[in-house]
Amino acid sequence: MEESALVVTAATSVLDIISRYRQTEGIFKDLEAETGRCICCEGLFLSLGEAAARFGFDLNGVLARISAVIADQK
C-alpha cells in the first residue's frame, strides 16, 4: 500500500517532516550551521513555524527547500 504524501506547511512538526522525508535532514543540519543551534535537538517537536520564530531562520525559504527536496524524490 502506498503512503499518502505529507503536505508540509508551517504547522507541520519538524519531527513529522524528518521522519517522513529523511532526505530533508540535511536542510536542518544546514540550519544548525546558520543559526548555531541544533533544530533537531532543540526543536524536534515544534512546528516548522514555531522553530523559525524561535531559531530565527527564514520560514518561506526553508519551506521552499523542503518542497524542492521532496519533489526531487518523486
Side-chain angles (χ1 to χ4, degrees):
M1 180 187 293
E2 185 177 319
E3 290 184 52
S4 61
L6 172 68
V7 177
V8 177
T9 68
T12 309
S13 74
V14 173
L15 175 62
D16 286 341
I17 296 166
I18 293 173
S19 65
R20 182 62 188 267
Y21 302 109
R22 291 293 294 181
Q23 65 273 28
T24 63
E25 189 172 358
I27 295 169
F28 294 98
K29 293 298 180 188
D30 291 346
L31 288 172
E32 180 178 353
E34 178 185 319
T35 65
R37 304 198 38 209
C38 179
I39 310 303
C40 296
C41 298
E42 298 179 44
L44 191 62
F45 299 105
L46 299 176
S47 71
L48 193 58
E50 292 169 328
R54 180 176 295 182
F55 302 111
F57 60 82
D58 174 37
L59 174 61
N60 291 326
V62 170
L63 278 169
R65 289 179 63 196
I66 290 170
S67 295
V69 167
I70 293 169
D72 284 347
Q73 296 301 310
K74 290 184 178 179

